[in-house]
Amino acid sequence: MRPNTRRTTLADIAQAAGVSVATVSKVVNGRGDVAPQTRARVQELLHRHHYLAPVFRHTEAVESPTIEVQFKGGLKSYVAEALEGIIDSADELGASVVISKASRAPHWARDLVSAGRRAVIAVTSVYTTAHLNELARAGLPLVVLDPLHLPDSRVNSVGATNFAGGLAATQHLLSLGHRRIAYLGGPTMAVCNQARMHGYRAAMESEGAQVPDAYVRPGEFTYETGLLGATALLALQEPPTAIFAGNDEIALGVIETARARGLRIPEDLSVVGFDDTSLAQMASPPLTTVRQPLREMGGAALRTALRLANGEKVESHHIELATELVVRASTAPPREETSTRK
């Protein structure tokens, strides 16, 4: 994102303040030999006109650009693996990365530019029109990794083939003989959740399998959603024999709820996750899941951010990397006399 208007110069500020360009330069560079009243007047005009001091010479910007990576919430396994991809790619390309929690302090975008940032990568963060406008005024490109909501047309994003992943997960369960399959997902309006759910529904419809309303439950992408959602699903008069979880954390909550009820995975209940984080391999039993190439997605986001920072055009505003079903030990054919209500 780049603003269409001409960027304010030192000369513009000097003219508005009625002082010399040299005086404005002293204020910008923190020099002490400026009268307090003059300094205050110049600083107020700098803020009002969104003046951005050049931080890098052109050659320095190309050789060692710094990218701000912001994420929201806790540093969970999903975020950590995406960050690894960003950091590894930055190391390969000679870029620097600064990682922070998403901030909405006043003038936060301009402060990032003043600190030397060339672009922003947001991991699953939500940006309003006001945030996007501030980034545009600051001249900071933004790349959203796995956006939770449909991004503004000005935003570049990197994601995965969530619909295909949801389709593959459900088809796997159907191929094992399951027909009572539930979907336990994340936030209703999250784009990735909608795509996974639609993939699930498409697979069920293609096989003529019924999807009762109670079999589709939204929540958050958290372990707690797995605990609570599985409790409700397994208490139904006709509970599912398999649960497709919207991510690995939800799947682990499902497994724990089943264990607490005396159910065995996969003999009594099959479970499929999504993401293929390190949690999937550490689960007991190891989790069948849809691999989302998180490290590769992080690398793609970093490369896109660098291209935008250097003023290059990118071929597409949205990049989708392929998902892949990884079959482990948490899925099996349903037992004829399976009862998940113990």
Side-chain angles (χ1 to χ4, degrees):
M1 301 183 305
R2 296 197 179 277
N4 295 322
T5 56
R6 183 178 67 86
R7 181 171 290 182
T8 302
T9 66
L10 286 181
D12 296 329
I13 300 298
Q15 182 177 8
V19 297
S20 68
V21 173
T23 298
V24 176
S25 180
K26 290 178 182 179
V27 174
V28 169
N29 291 293
R31 294 271 297 275
D33 51 342
V34 179
Q37 289 184 340
T38 301
R39 179 183 301 279
R41 184 165 71 254
V42 170
Q43 288 178 332
E44 193 277 330
L45 286 166
L46 290 169
H47 283 293
R48 185 192 307 171
H49 292 280
H50 307 289
Y51 176 76
L52 299 169
V55 178
F56 296 106
R57 296 184 183 90
H58 178 70
T59 54
E60 292 172 337
V62 173
E63 290 173 2
S64 184
T66 300
I67 307 299
E68 180 88 6
V69 180
Q70 297 186 341
F71 67 94
K72 184 180 180 181
L75 186 56
K76 299 183 178 181
S77 183
Y78 166 93
V79 176
E81 294 194 25
L83 290 178
E84 280 192 36
I86 294 172
I87 293 169
D88 287 346
S89 293
D91 183 58
E92 292 174 6
L93 297 171
S96 299
V97 171
V98 175
I99 299 171
S100 66
K101 290 289 190 76
S103 171
R104 298 295 181 267
H107 312 301
W108 63 277
R110 189 171 63 232
D111 291 342
L112 290 179
V113 173
S114 297
R117 312 296 187 257
R118 300 290 312 289
V120 175
I121 297 175
V123 182
T124 67
S125 295
V126 177
Y127 283 78
T128 66
T129 300
H131 300 141
L132 299 179
N133 288 341
E134 182 167 356
L135 285 166
R137 286 194 297 268
L140 268 180
L142 170 67
V143 179
V144 179
L145 182 59
D146 202 12
L148 288 177
H149 302 295
L150 287 172
D152 187 286
S153 60
R154 296 171 292 173
V155 178
N156 290 274
S157 58
V158 177
T161 54
N162 289 293
F163 177 88
L167 188 72
T170 312
Q171 286 176 335
H172 168 66
L173 294 169
L174 289 166
S175 72
L176 293 172
H178 292 278
R179 289 299 179 272
R180 302 206 312 266
I181 304 170
Y183 176 70
L184 185 53
T188 302
M189 297 308 295
V191 173
C192 57
N193 179 71
Q194 290 183 22
R196 293 167 197 175
M197 181 188 66
H198 289 319
Y200 154 81
R201 286 189 177 277
M204 295 290 280
E205 289 176 8
S206 69
E207 290 294 321
Q210 297 297 312
V211 181
D213 290 343
Y215 273 25
V216 179
R217 296 184 62 88
E220 300 294 331
F221 288 121
T222 61
Y223 179 77
E224 290 72 23
T225 285
L227 294 174
L228 298 174
T231 298
L233 288 169
L234 297 177
L236 295 173
Q237 185 173 359
E238 193 173 34
T241 62
I243 296 176
F244 169 32
N247 76 344
D248 293 345
E249 285 198 32
I250 295 175
L252 263 61
V254 171
I255 290 173
E256 174 57 23
T257 294
R259 185 202 63 77
R261 296 171 70 93
L263 301 177
R264 296 170 298 167
I265 307 293
E267 293 85 355
D268 300 318
L269 179 70
S270 286
V271 182
V272 178
F274 204 105
D275 285 341
D276 196 25
T277 60
S278 57
L279 296 175
Q281 297 183 48
M282 292 188 290
S284 182
L287 182 66
T288 294
T289 189
V290 176
R291 180 179 184 270
Q292 190 170 201
L294 298 172
R295 288 179 176 83
E296 293 88 340
M297 289 162 60
L302 189 281
R303 289 189 295 273
T304 300
L306 288 177
R307 291 185 62 186
L308 294 171
N310 289 331
E312 300 178 33
K313 291 185 178 180
V314 294
E315 293 75 18
S316 174
H317 285 295
H318 181 66
I319 300 171
E320 281 194 352
L321 302 186
T323 53
E324 176 188 3
L325 180 69
V326 179
V327 178
R328 296 193 179 97
S330 67
T331 51
R335 295 176 60 186
E336 291 185 6
E337 299 298 326
T338 294
S339 173
T340 53
R341 290 181 287 116
K342 293 188 177 182

